[in-house]
Each structure stands twice: as structure tokens, then as C-alpha cells.
Amino acid sequence: MKLNIALLPGDGIGPEVVDQAVKVCDAIAKKFNHEINWTKALTGASAIDACGEPYPDETHEVCMAADAVLFGAIGDPKYDNDPKAKVRPEQGLLKMRQKLGLFANVRPTFTFPSLIDNSPLKRERIEGTDLIILRELTGGIYFGERGRKDDGNTAFDTCTYTREEIQRLAKLGFELAMTRGKKLCCVDKANVLESSRLWRETVQAMEKDYPEVTVSYEFVDAVAMRLVQWPNSYDVMITENLFGDILTDEASVISGSMGLMPSASKGVHTSLYEPIHGSYPQAAGKDIANPLATVLSAAMMFEDAFGLKDEAEAIREVVNKSLAAGIVTEDLAGTNKAYKTSEVGNWLAENI
């Protein structure tokens, strides 16, 4: 099979972790007789430095022509620390989501048997955790009207959702639940927010189309608490952009490291696969960043974008072997030997 993949390394540790995922993908392609055509493009701070735009038209054309996009990370302190910067790397991420129609962020959270004691939560609270949060990506407060008034002393951000946007995400949630534990939780703040009431009303109207799925409705503040107390009680969760942004980061530490969790963003035109961690600029260029989340994102890409389940499973299997063998970077090594980012990538590729 011929696979056309856009490669967006981005900023910070992005290029380093993406390089390891490419090694693994190339090893998989060799083992299973596929041909991968990689097309690299700029985004984020690196794109601003090169051409003044965080998501250039050339990059968009590369993504539109690809079957899937493998993405590293976006962000740079020189922009983070300048509140008056007119162009920011994160604007490229929002623009990319809008132009590619990336409406649903798929964020799995699960545990690794060999690392379960690395979690900040007790073993008995997290054993068996296997949940997915579907976060709506192109609506809500991040894309609503915003501004200042009263000579800059009052600021406002507007959260707007349409029924169609909610239905589109909820449909994915129901369909995903049908392939798993047949439980769906809609996370909102319907006791206060009108937009949340529309979410709840819309999802309730869809229940009849999925009679096998048990649907629950919980307020976001309660879920933030229960994710820490009983994460293994959840199966599939759906929520709006801002709530999802916060809850997915909270859930990510359950596994023991943000460097372990992959994600996908499902799109109208194509889909994008990326690690959940940020650009971690303090580690950039030091060959110490954990590449496993990016490698596992590549596994999601093989299965989701190309329907290649055996290839995806081969990647997950070799990642589990590396964890069990202690071939890990410093964030997971503890008092044991810490391997370099590139060494982990090499080991994974050699052991496929």
C-alpha cells in the first residue's frame, strides 16, 4: 500500500520525537511491504521565523494532498513571554484545525502494566482505566467573538455552538461507544451555560438512534473530580472545546507521563495525529524527550487513517516491550539508566 503522509515536526522537541516516529513507521513499512511518501512542511514558530505565518498556505496544500498528517508540537517561549505579539505559533494550530476541518480530538487514556506505579494516583484507583475523551475542536470559546472595551479594562470571549457542530461530534461518540463498552458520558455545565443546555438537549435527542448505548450527563466540575477518583468508571466521553482542553490534560497524567499518550484529530479533509505533550522547549535539542507518545500516535494513524490494524498492533507491541525492558527516556527511568530519544527510536525500529 502507498501511504502519503504530511510531516509537520513543528517546534521545540517536535522535530526530535517526530524523527523517531518516522524511523518506526519506515520499519513497519519495510516489514509489511508498504511504501511511505513523506512530505515535510513548516508550522508554528519555525514557520513564523521562516515566512511570518504560523500555518503557511504551502503547508496547508501539503496537508490537503496527504492521506494523513503526523504532527510534532507547537510553541516557543519568545512568543509565550510576549503578550503583545501579534503573530503566535498557537494561531497556526487554530488555523490548521479550521482549514482542515479538524472537528474532533480523540484522546485515549490507558495504563501500562509496567508503569502503573509511576502514576500519581494509587494503583487500585487506576487499574483497568481505558477511556477516550472526544473534544470538539472547531467551535466554542476558542473560536467565538472576543475583544476589549472600556479603554481595554474589560475583556470578553464568546462561547457559541450550533446544533450541527454538536451532532457531528456526538455521532462519533455514539459510534465509538458501540465498538467499546457502550457507555457514553456527555460533559457539560448545563446548570449555568446556555451553550451546555444545547449540548445536552442535542445529545438527548440522539439517544433513540443508539438504544444499546447507556448515556450519562455530568457537570464538568464533577467530572474533574471523578477522573481522579474513579477514572476506570468512564468509557467514552464527549465535551466542548474548553472543557475538553482541560479534562484531557488532567486525564493524561493517569498513565504516569504525558510523554506516553497519543491523540488524533478527525477532520473533514484529512486527519492529524500528534502526541498530547507540548513543545517542551527546555528539552529541545538535548535528545532527552520521550518519543513514545508520537510513536503511539503513528500507531493510531496506521489503524485509523489506513485501516492497517496489524501494523498498529506491531507498534504498540514493540512500545510495550521497550517499557518492560527499561528502554526509556529520563522521565520514566527513575534510578535506572536513561536512554536518549534517538536511542529509544533506534531500539523500537530494530525490534519491529
Side-chain angles (χ1 to χ4, degrees):
M1 187 173 182
K2 189 168 185 177
L3 317 177
N4 293 307
I5 304 172
L7 197 63
L8 274 56
D11 306 323
I13 62 170
E16 295 166 65
V17 294
V18 163
D19 280 350
Q20 312 321 309
V22 168
K23 290 176 188 175
V24 171
C25 290
D26 286 343
I28 286 288
K30 184 176 180 181
K31 179 182 175 72
F32 289 90
N33 297 314
H34 300 303
E35 180 186 342
I36 300 179
N37 177 36
W38 299 102
T39 308
K40 192 178 283 191
L42 293 171
T43 189
S46 57
I48 296 173
D49 293 343
C51 61
E53 285 287 332
Y55 183 62
D57 290 341
E58 294 85 350
T59 298
H60 181 62
E61 288 168 14
V62 167
C63 293
M64 288 291 286
D67 302 316
V69 181
L70 186 61
F71 174 59
I74 270 182
D76 190 295
K78 69 182 175 186
Y79 297 99
D80 296 341
N81 298 329
D82 181 5
K84 295 190 176 179
K86 297 226 185 305
V87 182
R88 297 177 176 278
E90 292 75 17
Q91 290 169 346
L93 195 56
L94 296 179
K95 188 176 178 184
M96 179 163 57
R97 287 173 183 167
Q98 268 191 322
K99 292 186 76 172
L100 292 178
L102 302 176
F103 66 90
N105 186 221
V106 184
R107 290 277 289 264
T109 293
F110 47 87
T111 55
F112 298 86
S114 59
L115 294 177
I116 201 158
D117 292 321
N118 283 40
S119 174
L121 301 182
K122 291 179 180 177
R123 171 186 284 261
E124 58 267 26
R125 291 201 179 275
I126 64 170
E127 276 184 320
T129 296
D130 180 13
L131 63 90
I132 294 181
I133 301 176
L134 284 181
R135 167 191 168 193
E136 202 289 322
L137 268 188
T138 56
I141 204 164
Y142 291 175
F143 290 92
E145 185 184 350
R146 69 193 63 185
R148 297 277 186 105
K149 55 186 180 181
D150 300 333
D151 295 324
N153 294 309
T154 301
F156 63 92
D157 297 276
T158 309
C159 181
T160 303
Y161 268 107
T162 66
R163 193 178 300 275
E164 183 183 8
E165 287 173 324
I166 300 165
Q167 287 171 333
R168 184 169 62 173
L169 186 87
K171 183 175 183 289
L172 268 185
F174 276 109
E175 290 172 352
L176 190 56
M178 285 293 292
T179 68
R180 292 169 49 90
K182 298 184 179 178
K183 292 195 300 180
L184 181 72
C185 178
C186 178
V187 183
D188 60 36
K189 192 64 179 167
N191 58 336
V192 177
L193 301 176
E194 193 61 35
S195 57
S196 281
R197 293 187 190 104
L198 180 61
W199 269 82
R200 189 168 290 210
E201 175 188 310
T202 302
V203 176
Q204 285 173 338
M206 297 174 71
E207 285 188 40
K208 66 182 186 303
D209 298 324
Y210 303 91
E212 294 179 57
V213 177
T214 300
V215 185
S216 61
Y217 300 86
E218 296 185 27
F219 297 142
V220 63
D221 43 348
V223 171
M225 175 182 68
R226 288 173 188 151
L227 263 180
V228 174
Q229 292 178 306
W230 309 293
N232 53 16
S233 67
Y234 291 109
D235 182 20
V236 178
M237 306 164 76
I238 57 172
T239 193
E240 59 108 87
N241 207 341
L242 174 61
F243 298 161
D245 193 4
I246 297 166
L247 291 176
T248 51
D249 273 7
E250 181 189 8
S252 70
V253 299
I254 291 170
S255 68
S257 171
M258 280 188 77
L260 291 170
M261 290 294 107
S263 78
S265 294
K266 305 275 284 182
V268 174
H269 303 295
T270 189
S271 293
L272 177 143
Y273 302 85
E274 61 175 312
I276 65 162
H277 57 68
S279 60
Y280 191 16
Q282 302 92 329
K286 295 180 181 177
D287 204 20
I288 60 172
N290 188 342
L292 295 184
T294 313
V295 171
L296 289 169
S297 296
M300 287 183 77
M301 176 182 69
F302 274 105
E303 184 166 7
D304 180 61
F306 303 111
L308 301 174
K309 292 186 178 181
D310 290 344
E311 288 82 341
E313 191 52 41
I315 294 175
R316 296 185 187 112
E317 196 174 296
V318 79
V319 166
N320 279 322
K321 283 181 180 175
S322 74
L323 292 171
I327 313 298
V328 294
T329 45
E330 64 177 32
D331 58 313
L332 298 176
T335 57
N336 298 319
K337 178 186 176 181
Y339 288 79
K340 298 292 187 184
T341 308
S342 54
E343 290 174 331
V344 173
N346 291 341
W347 191 94
L348 295 171
E350 288 163 8
N351 282 272
I352 283 171

